[in-house]
Amino acid sequence: MQNLSISITTKGSLEEVKNRVIEAIKPAGFGILTQIDFDKKIKEKVGKDIRPCTILGACNPHLAYEAYQQFQDVALLLPCNIVLTQIDDGKIRIEAMRPTQMLNMVPNVKCHESILKAEENLKKCLISLE
């Protein structure tokens, strides 16, 4: 089974890396719909400390529309998460859910060539941040 995510590690602060990710994924047709400062929410709701972690809800509107036209339940999987976690001072892990793996969870949606290409483009964008 293929990994669920595309994962890389890069240098910089969480905020710097977040901004670099947002810019890097644009050429692949992805934009950010949501942002959750997960570590702050855990602290607020549970009173526990975890490593700084931000979840970006990314979406490629063309792919989302294509999948949604095939099977409306695919909306349950949107947006695709990109998780940024500080693993050390100045070191951030970036993990992005693979669109092909998400669609494997929905049996009625075919993995078209456009989705394979978008995943490869997303991977190239993120690897460029290493």
Side-chain angles (χ1 to χ4, degrees):
M1 181 174 150
Q2 187 177 14
N3 290 337
L4 289 177
S5 69
I6 301 162
S7 182
I8 65 139
T9 301
T10 191
K11 293 180 180 177
S13 71
L14 194 61
E15 188 68 22
E16 291 167 346
V17 172
K18 178 187 78 172
N19 291 330
R20 288 176 29 216
V21 166
I22 291 169
E23 289 305 311
I25 64 174
K26 284 181 182 178
F30 286 85
I32 301 302
L33 300 177
T34 61
Q35 176 181 327
I36 301 167
D37 295 321
F38 189 60
D39 57 308
K40 291 179 178 124
K41 283 294 174 191
I42 292 296
K43 182 67 171 178
E44 174 188 329
K45 302 293 183 182
V46 184
K48 302 289 184 184
D49 291 313
I50 62 171
R51 293 174 187 233
C53 179
T54 298
I55 302 170
L56 300 174
C59 183
N60 180 315
H62 297 290
L63 295 180
Y65 176 77
E66 183 179 306
Y68 187 78
Q69 288 301 107
Q70 293 179 58
F71 191 61
Q72 291 181 357
D73 283 357
V74 79
L76 293 166
L77 302 172
L78 300 174
C80 302
N81 285 337
I82 299 177
V83 180
L84 311 174
T85 306
Q86 182 177 327
I87 56 175
D88 206 352
D89 283 339
K91 199 171 187 182
I92 307 296
R93 182 177 55 238
I94 304 169
E95 297 173 290
M97 183 69 163
R98 291 178 183 274
T100 56
Q101 291 299 306
M102 284 181 54
L103 291 181
N104 283 341
M105 292 186 250
V106 185
N108 298 336
V109 177
K110 292 180 176 59
C111 191
H112 290 286
E113 185 66 31
S114 60
I115 294 169
L116 294 170
K117 184 176 181 184
E119 181 173 305
E120 187 58 33
N121 288 340
L122 177 62
K123 182 177 178 180
K124 286 177 185 174
C125 291
L126 294 178
I127 287 173
S128 75
L129 298 172
E130 283 185 298

